[in-house]
Amino acid sequence: MEQEYTSPPDQWTMHVGGKPVGTLISEGFDQPWILCRFDPMPGWSSQLQDLFEAQNEAARSGFPADQMWSIKEIREKGVELRRNSGTEDRFTPLIVYVENGKARFRG
């Protein structure tokens, strides 16, 4: 009987402003998005959560000009994803959404 091997899901630590704020665990793809579970770390503050919630609302509303401030502020804070595989893989995603324990990002 052959045994099927599966690799563990990809995991990244999300850093904002150089500080680790959460772990993203890959759950699948919806091209061009990578879909993840989001596990907050102590650096995930209510202020940061509010900022990502404002970004989510901007997306749901079709990105009206008066709501674009949240996207700009998140970019200015500097979001970086670092792969949790013992390598130095790191990159700045185009955009990351975090909501209700889920995250999705585009490279």
Side-chain angles (χ1 to χ4, degrees):
M1 182 185 280
E2 286 188 40
Q3 201 172 8
E4 187 175 319
Y5 293 95
T6 58
S7 60
D10 285 335
Q11 294 186 23
W12 300 267
T13 299
M14 184 168 84
H15 292 251
V16 177
K19 297 178 183 176
V21 298
T23 302
L24 281 70
I25 302 165
S26 177
E27 293 185 328
F29 301 93
D30 184 11
Q31 290 295 340
W33 299 98
I34 298 175
L35 309 174
C36 302
R37 184 177 84 223
F38 178 76
D39 294 333
M41 299 171 85
W44 183 251
S45 65
S46 60
Q47 180 184 21
L48 198 53
Q49 182 174 346
D50 290 346
L51 187 56
F52 274 86
E53 286 176 7
Q55 176 182 259
N56 295 334
E57 183 57 35
R60 280 191 289 275
S61 300
F63 300 104
D66 66 330
Q67 292 183 6
M68 295 300 288
W69 63 269
S70 59
I71 296 162
K72 182 178 185 248
E73 192 169 328
I74 289 170
R75 283 195 180 154
E76 287 174 352
K77 286 185 178 296
V79 175
E80 182 180 74
L81 298 181
R82 300 179 187 177
R83 190 177 298 272
N84 295 348
S85 62
T87 67
E88 290 298 315
D89 280 351
R90 58 179 66 196
F91 68 97
T92 300
L94 179 63
I95 194 161
V96 178
Y97 292 100
V98 177
E99 185 172 30
N100 299 324
K102 299 288 182 182
R104 61 188 167 120
F105 69 89
R106 293 177 64 167

